[in-house]
Amino acid sequence: MIRNINKKLQVTNPAQFFLMLFLTSIFFAGMVFPIFSLFIKAFQNSSGGFAGFENYFKYFSQPTLSYSLLNTLDVSLTTSVVSTMLGFAYAYSLKRTNIKLKRFFRYVALFPIFVPTVVHGIGLIVLFGKQGILTQLGLVIELYGKTGIILSEIIYTFPQAFLMFYVTLHYADGRLYEVADSMGCNALTKFMRITVPEIKYTLIYSLFVCFTLAFTDFGAPKVIGGSYNVLAIDLYKQVAGQFNFNMGAVVSTLLLIPALLTFAADRILNAKNYGEISTKAIELKIKKNKLRDGLFFTVCFLIFVFFLMIIGALFMDALMKYYPYEKSFTLEHFKFSQSTGGIQSFVNSISMSLLTAVFGTIFVFVYTYLIEKGKGMEHIKKIGRLLSVAPIAVPGMVIGLSFIFFFNSRSNPLNFIYGTVVILVLANIVHFYTVPYVTAAGALKKLDKEFESIAESMRIPGWKILLRVSVPMSLPAILEIFMYYFVNAMVTVSAVVFLYSADFKVASIAITHMEEAGDIAQASAMSLLILTVNLIAGSIYDRSQSNSTALLIGKATNAIN
Amino acid sequence: MSYLKLENIYKQFAGKVVLKGVNAEIEKGELVCILGPSGCGKTTLLRIIAGLETADQGKVIIDRKDCTMLPPSKRNFGIVFQSYALFPNMTVEQNILFGLSEQKKLNKEQQRAKALEVLALVGLLEHKNKYPAQLSGGQQQRTALARAIALSPGYLLLDEPLSALDAKVRSKLRLEIRRIQQELGITTIMVTHDQEEALTMADRIIVMNNAVIEQVGAPRTIYEKPANTFVANFIGTMNFYENNKGTFGVRPENIELTKNVLPESFWTGKVSFLEFKGAMIRVYSKLYDNREICVDLPVEKAKAMELKENDTVYLKVADRHLIQYADVQEAV
């Protein structure tokens, strides 16, 4: 019997195959090789010779440096526990109680997503700093240092924790609660035996994610950390201050650890959690309970007031002449000084974010399409899937530094993109890749898997099916990906801090420079501009979506910044 | 020479053999049903005929041409999937025109005329501007059929085309598909797990089980002379009994049942359960040796006999209704 050995040639479409190969190689250039060169650097001495673990020994033998590891752990642990608790309480209030103003509370909780993390620090400075609004009223706290960082990181990670619980608590199986009622279980028993198992995985994952976000954040400690050193600051100082790239690489590898653990946790939890909610689940009817509602409303209200104060503080500082001495209204702070970036930085941010959104969306969609709908190519698809989920485990600063190593090397033919907007866009696309990928894959999986077969039988070329059917049918997801890329590129500091050039500064970086120059009012004004643009973008998107749960899931699965 | 010929088709997925040396021939213009339980390999066989899968071994010969290695686009067939796979963002007419627009030899008017022609054939002219979501299940099915035949393909493949519909619509569409198929005289291969569908629509049935073909034949032959106990059990109901001469099968409707002792040789049983099936009543009886046997009686006859549970009954089978088998094989 003759085997049909040449079958592979027949079932693979050559055009698809080459496109897949091409996009995969972009991925290698934009992630795999840079990270690889980062690892090489961590094990090299400054002259390029092999150093083994010498750099690591040196790092840990310097007390100031190894202290910052302990500091980072301290800050991240506190943040992750507090944020997870608050996020759960907030989500529980919105999903399992009958409090008023739910919709309103939900939007307010998302505010920190729409501004760079430095802005949380700046808001806190305006409130609690030496001339702070609350400090003036006698509420004095030791803001600069540990307290300030923890507060900022809680603001930063709270929406992530909240969204994860919000999604989990949304999918309740009302039948379980009804059966428990018929068996005479009290509220505590129901909570412990039904609710807790439901949220168990989210709880663990939220702890991991918040920990990692706080562990790798650069913005907040930059503006509010004072002399309290954390790893991200170390990394920045080693690279931007002392040009000690090898040590920078060492710190980067340390920053990768919690992110990789989170990634592993996600894989394990996902595998266990899969399909636990039955499709027969019925909606949960929330019972009347005045005491519970009152309690949870108070929690929500306090968090809301705190957020309102931060936003309010930004407004006051940005719109008053010279708080607290001259409180008259002015728009003067929106005339940004050239030295710290000027209005140009804001324009740059918008163009960088638009480019990121346009090219990121196209890349994600086409690549995911080939992975989900391409003919044959099983091996390369597997690699593609792995590449697509990996970026979530790489912190922004690590991407930035690895890009320096890879693209700044003279021998790299892609060297010319160094110092241009292209490298910023590439860094953003890679950094925020995973959530758009999950969104695109989800949307494509929902399409009938026989569209391509039908097209083939009708001799319709593959690209026509993609453009005429798959793209229009996935439009909400595409829009979602676009907005996600745009908003995140607008606010990111960590991914671009090593990569922006003097003549292309972006707004989030400009804010840190304004703060450094002591111009908090301009920093606040710039923060408001970013917030406004992102809210407009977000609301356009929100209006186009009938159901924004997908967005929530997307945002919640995001994480590592 | 038959129109479509499958020679020794062998296929496995991840070590599991789904087709084990399948041979079949299909004549031009006939409607052949591939019938079998789920997982028997019937859909894979259809996909191999379409070119959506490639056989590991064996040959697919269509119209005297070896097509084993040809991609679907070079095979000239129309296909209807279980899910229909209608393009949701296009109207009924656009769905059909989408494929026609690739036919360079037709100009715009000819394409439109062809679309309207097939829409008229399936009776959907008045719905041509609707989107799939606005159609009933049966209308969606017919749209998919119209799209499949619009390009005047050499043969038509139907993959469980009716299984997503409710019973009434399904039986109506069986006739409809059959009518269109005969009107066009198009060679059609239809995969189904529904024996009634196969019996009512097919010129010939290919019964499959566990990666192999169990029997090929006209519906009547398959029903009246099932080649083995699997086919007998899968299509309709069959009583089996063994004696020193071997295993025998008999259909429930071929057993004579009375409450009076018969003159010739007979079995004695006791009615254990009566199952009302509409026009028929199925009588389950226990024989003297505790074996169960079922008999179908017209409702009127059962009524006249005043049959009830625990009655003693006498059963008789004419020799011509007995089918002999090697051994008993359970149907899934």
Side-chain angles (χ1 to χ4, degrees), chain A residues 8 197 251 333 362 380 530:
Chain A
K8 288 215 168 68
V251 182
H333 302 305
I362 294 173
I380 193 163
I530 296 181

Side-chain angles (χ1 to χ4, degrees), chain B residues 34-273:
Chain B
I34 306 177
L35 174 68
S38 57
C40 70
K42 58 189 191 297
T43 294
T44 306
L45 190 62
L46 189 84
R47 293 180 73 89
I48 285 174
I49 297 171
L52 296 166
E53 304 282 352
T54 314
D56 296 338
Q57 286 173 25
K59 264 186 187 171
V60 180
I61 293 161
I62 300 165
D63 212 0
R64 278 179 295 243
K65 195 165 120 198
D66 184 352
C67 291
T68 319
M69 287 299 149
L70 283 187
S73 52
K74 300 211 171 101
R75 293 197 184 193
N76 189 26
F77 65 93
I79 189 163
V80 175
F81 289 105
Q82 190 173 3
S83 65
Y84 314 141
L86 296 174
F87 306 123
N89 56 328
M90 298 181 190
T91 62
V92 169
E93 191 180 7
Q94 286 166 341
N95 258 283
I96 294 159
L97 279 172
F98 195 21
L100 282 168
S101 63
E102 292 300 314
Q103 295 248 313
K104 301 292 174 236
K105 60 177 193 277
L106 297 179
N107 64 30
K108 282 265 175 296
E109 260 109 77
Q110 288 168 316
Q111 289 170 9
R112 255 187 79 82
K114 182 74 198 179
L116 296 179
E117 182 194 320
V118 288
L119 280 174
L121 187 65
V122 299
L124 274 181
L125 262 186
E126 57 191 306
H127 300 292
K128 70 182 163 73
N129 292 325
K130 285 191 182 163
Y131 286 93
Q134 298 168 303
L135 300 174
S136 70
Q139 290 166 338
Q140 292 181 17
Q141 210 284 332
R142 283 190 270 172
T143 308
L145 183 64
R147 185 177 62 178
I149 56 181
L151 300 180
S152 315
Y155 57 106
L156 185 62
L157 302 177
L158 310 172
D159 183 10
E160 304 263 7
L162 300 173
S163 64
L165 301 168
D166 41 311
K168 262 264 153 55
V169 187
R170 196 171 352 177
S171 56
K172 191 172 158 225
L173 273 172
R174 273 178 205 153
L175 300 175
E176 187 86 2
I177 292 177
R178 183 63 164 151
R179 171 184 67 80
I180 292 166
Q181 185 265 335
Q182 285 181 326
E183 213 163 295
L184 298 173
I186 185 170
T187 314
T188 301
I189 301 162
M190 171 167 133
V191 159
T192 179
H193 65 270
D194 182 338
Q195 42 143 327
E196 209 179 310
E197 210 164 282
L199 291 174
T200 50
M201 291 174 74
D203 291 310
R204 282 192 308 140
I205 298 176
I206 296 174
V207 186
M208 283 187 69
N209 184 37
N210 277 334
V212 296
I213 290 179
E214 299 278 2
Q215 188 175 5
V216 181
R220 263 199 102 96
T221 324
I222 298 264
Y223 188 81
E224 285 169 1
K225 294 267 177 301
N228 53 45
T229 54
F230 169 80
V231 178
N233 258 327
F234 189 71
I235 294 160
T237 308
M238 185 75 88
N239 293 295
F240 291 106
Y241 75 92
E242 287 166 61
N243 61 18
N244 49 4
K245 286 182 214 146
T247 304
F248 293 90
V250 58
R251 296 276 185 206
E253 66 272 25
N254 292 335
I255 302 175
E256 209 176 307
L257 182 144
T258 64
K259 280 174 95 171
N260 309 319
V261 183
L262 293 158
E264 319 98 71
S265 67
F266 55 82
W267 296 325
T268 314
K270 197 167 153 196
V271 177
S272 53
F273 182 64

Side-chain angles (χ1 to χ4, degrees), chain A residues 408-419:
Chain A
N408 199 23
S409 136
R410 286 222 180 77
S411 54
N412 190 328
L414 294 172
N415 183 279
F416 67 93
I417 71 165
Y418 194 73

Side-chain angles (χ1 to χ4, degrees), chain A residues 437-465:
Chain A
Y437 160 71
V438 173
T439 310
L444 287 169
K445 279 199 183 110
K446 272 193 239 142
L447 299 184
D448 198 306
K449 61 184 194 321
E450 308 291 10
F451 282 160
E452 280 69 24
S453 311
I454 283 280
E456 267 201 278
S457 79
M458 290 161 76
R459 296 184 282 281
I460 299 168
W463 61 267
K464 246 187 185 170
I465 279 289

